[in-house]
Structures are given as structure tokens and as C-alpha cells.
Amino acid sequence: EQAVQAAKAGPEALSTSIKQVAGWLKRFSDPVGRDVRLQATARALGIEPGLLIKAAGGASSTPQAPSAPIPIRSQARTPARPQAQASSKPAQLSKSELVVLRGFVWGREFADLLAQSRAQMPPGQPLWELFEHPPTREWVQSVVSDPSRLNRLRSAPDTLVGEVQSLQVLSTITEALLAGDAPHTHEEFLGAMNRRIYRSWVRFSHHIKKALGAAEASGDAELHTKLMQEYVDLQRKIKELANFYDDAE
């Protein structure tokens, strides 16, 4: 108690008191009694018990639980986590692509609407650019590129069905061929055509942007200036089209 009171005088007095108490604790032969007094004295002095243990020249006599051995990691390489497999689900036709494809196969009045609408597509763009679905693009391209095949589509369409690589496209074509009436109204078809035309302009702008980057990389300032103006005009046109044509599927 005297050491505790004296310790209040300042840091030097506290240091002296700690040494005195440490020496006093060393005289206890009972390890349990020594540790009880050590904890109580540390609280009274407002210090950590470790300071008294250090001043006493050793660790507390209370048995300490042995520390667990540090496990040695195996040198074997951790098996690589299996990568997520790419989705095997085939690409699907959008709603507007379905409508336009049915109209293309049906022909008749829709053939005239297709011819009229092509004038609104980007310059030089073929009819198959209306489609983003790869199997549909390939099939429409194969039919449109060969006049004889286009005639067969009208006279003997079943001869071209076997070349379709997509079950969804095959069922859509078959549905249009077997339909007793037009698969869609004029309004539905034109609405879908407008959406496909809008998408064709968006993709066309991507090609211009790619060419713009190539011109910049090659240092062709004249071509870069020309393409930049064309790209700006395209963005303005696409924005105007977006106000009229819903960019839905």
C-alpha cells in the first residue's frame, strides 16, 4: 500500500514503486498467491501486469497454454478453381427480328414494304444488316445474294429450309410458310422495320468509329477530319431516329 501511494508522486516514483513491488512479489513461494497479488497490485498502480512481470525478471508463474504450432503449408499447388463455363444457350432472335423475318419469308405485300424501307438504311447496307442474330443474317444473306435462291424462296421455299442452322429460325420460317394469313399487320411490320433500321444505323456508326480510330493511329489527318465530321453527323441522325423509333427488341 505504501508503494501504491508513493507511485502517485510522478513517473520516477512510479518506476521505483514497480521495482519495489516486483521484489516483494519474488518472495512469494505460492505461485497462485503471487499471481493474485500481481494482478491486484497492477490494477492499483494503473499499469499492465506485464510491467511487474518484466521488473521481477521473468514471466508470471501461472502456467501458460502452449502456443499452437504454426502449420507448415504444403508446397503442393492449390488446385485451380474451375472457371465458369460459358453459357451454351444459343443466341435468340429479338422480337423485331422475328417480325421482319416472318415478313421476309411471307413475301407478297411485305416484300414491297421491305423494298421501300431499305431506302432508310445506311448507304450501301444490304438487307441482311437488318438482323443482328448471326444464323438469321447468314441465311438471309445466302438467299438475297443469289437471285435463283430468292426465286426459290417464292416458288419452292421448302428447298431452302434445310439450310437453316438455328432451331428458332427454322421454326419461325416454317411458321410463316404454313400461315394461311399474313403473320402480321402492316403496322406491326413497319414498327419492327423501324426498330431494325434504327439498329442498323447504330451498328454503322460503330464501323465509322473504328475507322476513325484507325485513321488517328495512322496519322492521316485529312481522313480523320472527314470521318470525324461523318461520325458527328451520324450521332445526330441516330439521336433524331431515337425520338421516333422505339429502341425496343
Side-chain angles (χ1 to χ4, degrees), residues 99 106-114 116-117 182-194:
V99 174
W106 174 262
R108 303 177 179 88
E109 65 270 28
F110 293 130
D112 295 333
L113 294 175
L114 270 171
Q116 296 171 15
S117 298
H184 298 283
T185 64
H186 285 198
E187 291 74 17
E188 290 172 340
F189 184 77
L190 288 176
M193 277 295 300
N194 287 339

Side-chain angles (χ1 to χ4, degrees), residues 3-4 6-20 44-47 51:
V4 172
K8 298 178 181 179
E12 290 296 331
L14 176 60
S15 176
T16 301
S17 296
I18 290 174
K19 294 176 183 178
Q20 290 176 350
L45 291 172
I47 62 174
L51 283 176

